[in-house]
């Protein structure tokens, strides 16, 4: 099996520095997954490490999976939910939603997790926004480890959260001195990111700050660890549509992105987030989208 790796980049999210595993140079998507940020692990005192003021999304789902800590979500549908380890929050933007994400007042002083986005397919991306919080995703013991499935199905466990493409997302815990064999679907491509500890993927040591990519065609993969590890596995059939991503928007053309930006700046379309005290985020200036210059007049 050919395994390629792509280095993560570093991005400042307010005061929080995160590692971006997707999109990166030469790897924009894996299945419908178009974005993967890794934050933490970190311990904190009086500060509020996660503090993302209200901002809009279109054309995507945000998926928050935590290993430790808590994140409070508030959105323009008036959904409020605290994400915690073992559960998943899935927000479907459709034609437009706004939300804020912050460390709640009551917290464990820890932050450690990932946020992913899926690109919505054409048939769903213009539809209504929705938000789903699942307190406990299926957690399945397997020989050598435990699989927690937060998207799609793996190892006989299926997550009930609603997704709109064929997809998989899971945390695989490999016990010390063990190996885990995962069945893969030949029509899926996959990504692997080391979350904790040290592990080998098909005998190759997983380096920190690297996303590993497995082309479609494989039917199984082996993870092993000496001292125990946690690994993120994502996948799906290669996404059949060409997307344009800019700021918090996923669309198909520069024009529709520019319209979404203008709607946010004009307080149209996205609603208000009531559960956040403080100003909302301003959209960055439109200069280029997907290498194309954009008319600033939108
Ligand atoms: Mn967001």
């Amino acid at each position: 099996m050919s395994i390629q790796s792509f280095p993560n980049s570093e991005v400042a999210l307010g005061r929080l520095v995160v590692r971006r595993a997707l999109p990166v140079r030469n790897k924009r998507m894996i299945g419908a997954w178009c974005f993967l940020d890794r934050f933490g692990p970190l311990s904190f005192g009086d500060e509020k490490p996660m503090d993302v003021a209200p901002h809009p999304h279109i054309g995507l789902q945000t998926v928050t999976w935590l290993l430790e800590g808590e994140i409070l979500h508030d959105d323009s549908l008036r959904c409020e939910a605290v994400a915690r380890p073992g559960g998943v929050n899935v927000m479907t933007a459709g034609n437009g939603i706004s939300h804020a994400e912050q460390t709640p007042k009551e917290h464990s002083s820890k932050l450690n997790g990932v946020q992913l986005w899926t690109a919505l397919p054409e048939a769903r991306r213009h539809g209504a926004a929705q938000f789903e919080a699942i307190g406990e995703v299926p957690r399945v013991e397997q020989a050598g480890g435990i699989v927690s499935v937060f998207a799609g199905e793996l190892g006989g466990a299926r997550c009930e959260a609603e997704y709109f493409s064929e997809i998989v997302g899971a945390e695989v815990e490999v016990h010390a001195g063990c190996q885990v064999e995962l069945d893969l679907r030949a029509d899926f491509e996959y990504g692997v990111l080391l979350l904790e500890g040290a592990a080998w993927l098909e005998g190759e040591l997983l380096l920190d700050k690297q996303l590993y990519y497995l082309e479609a065609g494989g039917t199984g993969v082996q993870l092993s660890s000496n001292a125990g590890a946690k690994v993120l596995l994502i996948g799906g059939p290669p996404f059949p549509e060409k997307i344009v991503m800019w700021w918090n928007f996923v669309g198909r053309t520069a024009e529709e992105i520019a319209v979404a930006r203008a709607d946010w700046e004009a307080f149209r379309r996205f609603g208000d987030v009531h559960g956040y005290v403080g100003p909302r985020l301003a959209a960055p200036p439109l200069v280029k989208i997907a290498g194309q210059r954009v008319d600033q007049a939108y």
Side-chain angles (χ1 to χ4, degrees), residues 52 55-57 62 91 99 101 115 117 248:
V52 186
H55 58 278
H57 287 286
T62 65
M91 183 184 81
H99 74 147
E101 292 160 292
Q115 184 172 97
W117 298 354
N248 297 307

Side-chain angles (χ1 to χ4, degrees), residues 13 48 250:
L13 196 67
K48 191 175 166 188
V250 172

Side-chain angles (χ1 to χ4, degrees), residues 176-194:
C178 292
Q179 60 187 49
V180 173
E181 307 278 347
L182 297 172
D183 290 334
L184 300 186
R185 279 182 52 167
D187 57 336
F188 278 27
E189 54 183 358
Y190 290 91
V192 170
L193 184 73
L194 181 69

Side-chain angles (χ1 to χ4, degrees), residues 88-89 116 128 162 186 200 294:
V88 70
N89 279 4
L116 303 110
E162 192 174 14
W200 283 259
V294 177

Side-chain angles (χ1 to χ4, degrees), residues 6 13 43 65 89 148 173 188 196 200 218 229 241 250-251 270 285:
F6 299 89
L13 196 67
S43 296
W65 175 255
N89 279 4
S148 301
E173 183 174 346
F188 278 27
E196 203 173 281
W200 283 259
E241 302 171 47
V250 172
F270 295 100

Side-chain angles (χ1 to χ4, degrees), residues 116-133:
L116 303 110
W117 298 354
T118 75
L120 288 169
E122 184 60 30
R124 182 61 181 82
R125 71 189 189 95
H126 304 288
Q130 66 184 50
F131 177 78
E132 204 174 354

